[in-house]
Amino acid sequence: MVTIADVGSLVAIEGLDGSGKRTLTESLVARFTGAGARVATLAFPRYGESDAADIAAEALHGEHGDLRTSVNAMALLFAIDRRDAAADIRGLLATHDLVLLDRYVASNAAYSAARLDVGADSEIVDWIGELEFHRFGVPVPDHQLLLDVGAEVAGVRASGRAQADPTRARDHYERDDSLQRRTFAVYEGLAARGWMSPWSVVDADTAAEAVTAVLD
Ligand SMILES: Nc1ncnc2c1ncn2[C@@H]1O[C@H](COP(=O)(O)OP(=O)(O)OP(=O)(O)O)[C@@H](O)[C@H]1O
Ligand SMILES: Cc1cn([C@H]2C[C@H](O)[C@@H](COP(=O)(O)O)O2)c(=O)[nH]c1=O
């Protein structure tokens, strides 16, 4: 367990599709807000708020096949979404005690490296870090949490959610079990490297209430 004092104010929650990031984000907001803290959240991609995110979503769900094929083009769209959110993130940091990010730059690093079938210590990971943090000025997270749920459990959760809610149909990345497995391996490498900031690996293959206890 890590304490809110340990993690700083900008905390990214990372993990596979269906691993439980949104669920954890919502429960942390409820708990810390209830305790009087000022907590803000942002989820990436910012669907409906960013043209870049919406184009990426269309590609993920079946349109723009050529675009989806290009790892660099997809990574750039996700990065542009965050570049355009950077000022908002700084504003939230100025007015809140804790800003929780449901996916952030490490998502781009992990999925892009996995798509290229390379590891956490690779050129694409370095390129994304350089592009987003240095060229685009996206704030570096103080801490990153990796939800430790492998591809099988996350896949079951994602398909359960898609059945319950047709608006959450599984996209091309979610349906690709091999991609999900490789992505998780890259995430583990990023966490082991302490890529960009300290990481905590959270056992999330357990009840949602228990996962929430990760942050005190
Ligand atoms: N600890 C848990 N145990 C069992 N089911 C869970 C747990 N956490 C989340 N779920 C369920 O799994 C599904 C996916 O959870 P959630 O939407 O939070 O994942 P996510 O990581 O945000 O996914 P995505 O990245 O695809 O948006 C939901 O139906 C949610 O209720
Ligand atoms: C932010 C971000 C996301 N991705 C990938 C990860 C997911 O498979 C999809 C969409 O995310 P969602 O949580 O399912 O809505 O895109 C990525 O490759 N790079 C990123 O920066």
Side-chain angles (χ1 to χ4, degrees):
M1 188 201 290
V2 277
T3 69
I4 195 163
D6 294 330
V7 296
S9 44
L10 187 62
V11 177
I13 299 177
E14 294 287 353
L16 295 182
D17 298 284
S19 57
K21 297 176 298 299
R22 182 191 291 196
T23 305
L24 176 62
T25 305
E26 287 172 356
S27 59
L28 290 175
V29 169
R31 186 144 59 82
F32 287 116
T33 304
R38 296 167 304 167
V39 185
T41 64
L42 258 186
F44 290 99
R46 294 178 307 148
Y47 301 128
E49 291 174 50
S50 151
D51 289 343
D54 289 342
I55 295 167
E58 287 166 9
L60 285 170
H61 283 279
E63 294 172 53
H64 315 309
D66 290 346
L67 179 57
R68 189 176 59 247
T69 306
S70 167
V71 175
N72 285 9
M74 291 298 287
L76 190 56
L77 286 170
F78 292 120
I80 288 169
D81 177 18
R82 272 182 294 273
R83 179 200 64 185
D84 295 347
D88 285 354
I89 296 172
R90 279 190 277 275
L92 291 173
L93 285 168
T95 50
H96 293 77
D97 305 305
L98 179 64
V99 179
L100 293 172
L101 304 164
D102 175 350
R103 289 200 183 281
Y104 201 45
V105 181
S107 285
N108 226 6
Y111 282 81
S112 301
R115 291 192 64 199
L116 294 172
D117 206 4
V118 295
D121 196 0
S122 57
E123 207 175 306
I124 187 85
V125 169
D126 291 346
W127 177 70
I128 286 170
E130 175 65 29
L131 175 75
E132 298 214 31
F133 294 121
H134 296 124
R135 290 183 69 105
F136 286 177
V138 169
V140 176
D142 296 313
H143 202 95
Q144 301 180 77
L145 301 175
L146 171 60
L147 297 194
D148 187 359
V149 175
E152 273 186 30
V153 172
V156 168
R157 290 182 186 174
S159 55
R161 180 185 58 194
Q163 273 169 6
D165 178 1
T167 66
R168 301 295 305 274
R170 299 177 80 190
D171 62 38
H172 274 268
Y173 288 4
E174 288 182 27
R175 290 198 301 266
D176 186 340
D177 294 337
S178 166
L179 174 66
Q180 295 290 325
R181 275 194 295 278
R182 296 197 307 276
T183 301
F184 191 65
V186 182
Y187 266 135
E188 289 184 307
L190 293 173
R193 271 182 75 181
W195 188 68
M196 294 298 162
S197 51
W199 287 67
S200 297
V201 179
V202 179
D203 178 8
D205 189 1
T206 181
E209 298 71 32
V211 182
T212 312
V214 61
L215 200 57
D216 195 23

